[in-house]
Amino acid sequence: MFEFRERDGLARIGTMETRHGRVTTPALLPVVNPNRPIIPPTDLANRFHAEILITNAYILGRGPHRDSVLRQGVHEFLGFSGAVMTDSGAFQSHVYGDVNVTNAEVIDFQKRIGADLGTMLDVFSEPSHDRARATKDVDETIRRAREADSLREDMALVGAVQGGLHTDLRERCAQEVSTLGVSVCAIGGVVPLLESYRFQDLVRVIIASKKGLDPSKPVHLFGAGHPLVFPLAALLGCDLFDSASYAKYARDGRMLFSDGTRHAAELRESGCPCPVCSDHPMKDISQNETLLAEHNLHVCFAAIREVRRAIAHGDLWELVERRARAHPALLVSLRELRLHNEFLEEFEPVDRRGALYYVGPETAHRPILHRFRHRLLERYQSPPAKGLLVLPEHRRPFMEGYAPVLARVMASADVHAVVKSIWGPVPVELDQVWPMAQSVVPDSLELESLEAADVFFREWAAGAGYPFGLLWEGDSSLEELRARAPGNRTVDWNASRVRATADYQFGRGAAEALLRGTISYVISKNTGKVRNVVVDGDHVLSLRAEDGLFTLKAAGAQRLHGAFQAPRLRVVIESDAVPFVREGKNVFAKFVREADPELRPGDESLVVSPDDELCAVAQSSMNRREMLAFKRGVAAHVREGVPPLPSALPH
Ligand code: GUN
Ligand code: ZN
């Protein structure tokens, strides 16, 4: 069973339960070679705090230790009381061309030695395999996954996803395998990609697989043991990694670092803060395979901890973009991500703690910014005006810096104002919406970012319906604005901010539904900003200072519920859960029947009964796919329960 508590991108900090304890993900599983354990499993537990390790059932079953493992069980044999995953020999078939075992035999052996997670014998798809070959191997892998499921009894099973570079086969294999009784889904066949730094292909393979996988199951990336790829792979939703690299590289005298690999013999200092590098001179380390392996493992575990830190803090994208500078192949893979924004955006939380930092021209293509531009096109309604004033990128929040300009222009020209920002067009009244006010961008921009900003701007401006747009170049622009858009404009900025934000956040038409009636605002004494929106005496919305988005109140939820047809903004729960949710209890994923496919983690949602009666207003913590898949965890945190209407009460 798997449950998560924090998320960022497709990454999650979760717990996976095993018969030998809980494992926190993302997790690194050090590979223990039973014939050559360079770091003893007791040390893995005590010195490296490994909660889980992986060893190879195929090697154990054929080697000299077969009888003792069968007699003692794998935990006692290894001297490790944490969780043990075993692999099946599929990788050996990739290396040696064939293996001398059947799927049924290797499942049986893993059961007998007491593996906490046992792996089916998948058919390794090489990246070079053509469609026909990959199809045949995927079909056989699916057949064996079914067979393994029927044989596993109470052993938790790892199902493998193959399909080479054929994305549709990957997706199909993932879909079929994750419908079975598997506890972990593993993406296989990627070692050749990792070994040759084909990270762009790796991205395509992981995303295609993730599209087919059940999001409630932890995902293992087979053979990914270099810290260079952990941030990227975790961002794309891989929860478990296994590393033989720490030992293999040590054998070759090489040291792993989070930004690459170096030959120990060529280093006078490693620059690494791990205990090995702190306590030993480089010349001792470089000649000692065990010290090298220990350093490598320290670095790998530290890299995993750094990923977890970034997930919890909400800056995993930044880490990935920064780490991508370590190798050109990673940079190429980073540029691949924008092609998958439609899928990635589904999982992207609506906001996060702290600011969004510009890292490079790739930053503008992050899903959160893709979403902003997309919602602007789909949801934002441009106010009528005779023209468009285009303001250049500026100190944020834009409205603060530009207030004097706006006052001067609008006194004598009827124009609407939009900032042509590095992230895309930002109507000035939306300047507080996360991450528009909360981003840190350079004062001067390189050509690629400027060109992208231009493209983003044109995409929006073409449909915005203004007869002209004029770029503000200082007071010299005033005359032309007056000539082309004669008149003036008085804007109630509070009202326009509230309207635009409501449509942006809840969908076009939301402002109309939420704000019909007599409106008043509660203004914060500290900031002068709108805090609460009251309509006809009802508190309908609160505007959050941190992210410029609304918290929906019950009265607001009622208005949206009346105006928007199902499934919009809805989380539909089972009848049994209705009374609890009405009392303010959270919505657990296992009680969710349906949900709006447009809901994103962090979005405000309407919790409704199967008959579409409003039961609560909540903040969702999952998207629809996840709500329907998870049997554990909270799908939406209820902000306020809504009692039944008097007419719906039993008489
Ligand atoms: N280890 C590395 N790659 C693979 C793979 O594709 N399948 C299995 N079972 N183990 C692996
Ligand atoms: Zn070190």
Side-chain angles (χ1 to χ4, degrees), residues 540-599:
V540 293
L541 298 165
S542 297
L543 193 55
R544 300 192 291 256
E546 313 86 70
D547 64 1
L549 294 169
F550 289 120
T551 293
L552 188 60
K553 307 299 291 181
Q558 249 138 7
R559 285 171 170 253
L560 287 176
H561 182 256
F564 286 176
Q565 298 276 306
R568 280 181 75 182
L569 301 178
R570 288 349 183 244
V571 175
V572 186
I573 56 171
E574 300 293 349
S575 314
D576 294 354
V578 165
F580 299 97
V581 167
R582 287 202 193 273
E583 279 173 23
K585 302 265 181 354
N586 287 334
V587 176
F588 286 95
K590 66 168 173 245
F591 296 122
V592 175
R593 257 197 200 189
E594 248 310 334
D596 181 358
E598 298 290 316
L599 281 179

Side-chain angles (χ1 to χ4, degrees), residues 1-63:
M1 274 294 215
F2 176 69
E3 191 174 356
F4 70 86
R5 58 170 195 272
E6 307 259 16
R7 62 183 310 155
D8 194 11
L10 274 71
R12 47 244 181 130
I13 297 180
T15 37
M16 179 175 75
E17 269 170 30
T18 75
R19 286 187 298 203
H20 283 81
R22 292 177 163 203
V23 174
T24 300
T25 69
L28 177 69
L29 289 65
V31 173
V32 173
N33 180 340
N35 298 328
R36 207 173 181 282
I38 175 104
I39 301 178
T42 45
D43 282 1
L44 293 177
N46 299 333
R47 291 175 49 213
F48 293 88
H49 310 290
E51 294 176 316
I52 181 168
L53 56 75
I54 180 168
T55 189
N56 197 295
Y58 175 70
I59 296 172
L60 281 173
R62 293 168 47 92

